[in-house]
């Protein structure tokens, strides 16, 4: 589905939303969904008349399984450079278990074989905010230590799970249950609120379209 010109959601990918940007300097993906996502991606690209090898970077907003289950296969099939923040790189590589999830989430992770990702080394491990091919990569920790947002000034921001939206595109604060640090998470939302974008795309839920930056400010104003 093309959300705004040049920004797509790859329909059919399981787990978190997987986005494709075709309008930038380079074609990029944001997040990789669950295992098996590369086939779905290949079909989607075919319909657009594009190839897997056209994708140059895969930005990983954070290393939760629903965002990185397809990362290893997508890196392999596209040849793109996999980009992640240092805070989550160890989880992606399988050398770090990540933050302590509580209760149900922890149990689900243990039980479901689908919830296991093939470990993969990132090509670019970020320690600070940076620009890659015209995309601004901003550290927005709290949901996890290494959570990042990908920002195209004046246009769109991809926030991973730093914020959530519902099926109607109404913005919601990040999950407390899944947060590594809720104080950091709020600071990150404040950081996002200071940016200029019309569309905000979360890891879960529908697009937040039309003066989305104002929606983030409203959310903060009502944050108890
Ligand atoms: Zn998620």
């Amino acid at each position: 589905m093309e959300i705004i010109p040049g920004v797509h959601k790859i329909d059919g990918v399981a787990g978190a939303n997987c986005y494709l940007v075709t309008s930038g300097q380079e074609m990029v993906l944001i997040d990789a969904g669950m295992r098996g996502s590369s086939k779905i991606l290949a079909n989607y690209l075919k319909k657009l008349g594009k190839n897997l090898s056209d994708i140059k970077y895969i930005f990983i907003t954070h290393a939760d399984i629903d965002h990185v289950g397809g990362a290893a296969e997508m890196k392999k099939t596209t040849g793109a450079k996999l980009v992640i923040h240092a805070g989550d790189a160890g989880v992606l590589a399988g050398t770090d278990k990540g933050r302590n999830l509580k209760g149900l989430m922890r149990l689900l992770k243990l039980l479901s074989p689908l919830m296991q990702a093939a470990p993969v080394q990132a090509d670019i491990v970020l320690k600070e905010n940076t620009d890659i091919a015209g995309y601004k990569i901003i550290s927005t920790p709290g949901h996890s230590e290494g959570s990042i947002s990908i920002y195209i000034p004046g246009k769109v921001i991809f926030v991973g799970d730093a914020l959530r939206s519902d099926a109607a595109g109404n913005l919601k604060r990040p999950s407390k249950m899944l947060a590594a640090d809720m104080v950091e998470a709020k600071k990150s939302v404040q950081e996002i609120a200071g940016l200029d974008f019309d569309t905000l795309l979360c890891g879960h839920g529908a697009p937040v379209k039309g003066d989305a930056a104002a929606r983030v400010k409203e959310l903060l104003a009502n944050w108890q």
Side-chain angles (χ1 to χ4, degrees), residues 107-193:
L107 191 68
L108 277 174
K109 200 171 177 179
L110 288 174
L111 289 181
S112 170
L114 256 184
M115 303 287 268
Q116 288 167 18
V120 57
Q121 294 281 348
D123 300 285
I124 300 175
V125 177
L126 303 172
K127 293 207 170 92
E128 54 197 22
N129 294 353
T130 187
D131 272 33
I132 296 179
Y135 299 86
K136 291 195 174 299
I137 317 293
I138 298 163
S139 180
T140 48
H143 177 71
S144 72
E145 193 192 329
S147 285
I148 54 171
S149 294
I150 294 88
Y151 173 47
I152 305 175
K155 189 175 178 185
V156 60
I157 189 164
F158 303 87
V159 299
D161 291 358
L163 283 160
R164 294 178 294 169
S165 65
D166 66 14
N170 299 304
L171 199 59
K172 300 195 296 181
R173 69 182 71 177
S175 161
K176 204 181 241 179
M177 195 176 83
L178 298 179
D181 184 333
M182 209 53 192
V183 175
E184 284 288 309
K186 187 180 179 186
K187 273 191 212 158
S188 291
V189 174
Q190 287 165 333
E191 174 105 16
I192 291 165

Side-chain angles (χ1 to χ4, degrees), residues 1 6 17 34 38-40 54 73 79 94 106 117 119 125 135 175 202 211 214 217:
M1 168 182 74
N17 295 331
M34 298 292 267
S38 65
K39 273 193 189 140
I40 299 163
D54 294 334
E73 62 193 70
R106 193 184 179 90
V125 177
Y135 299 86
S175 161
C202 300
D211 204 4
K217 290 187 184 97

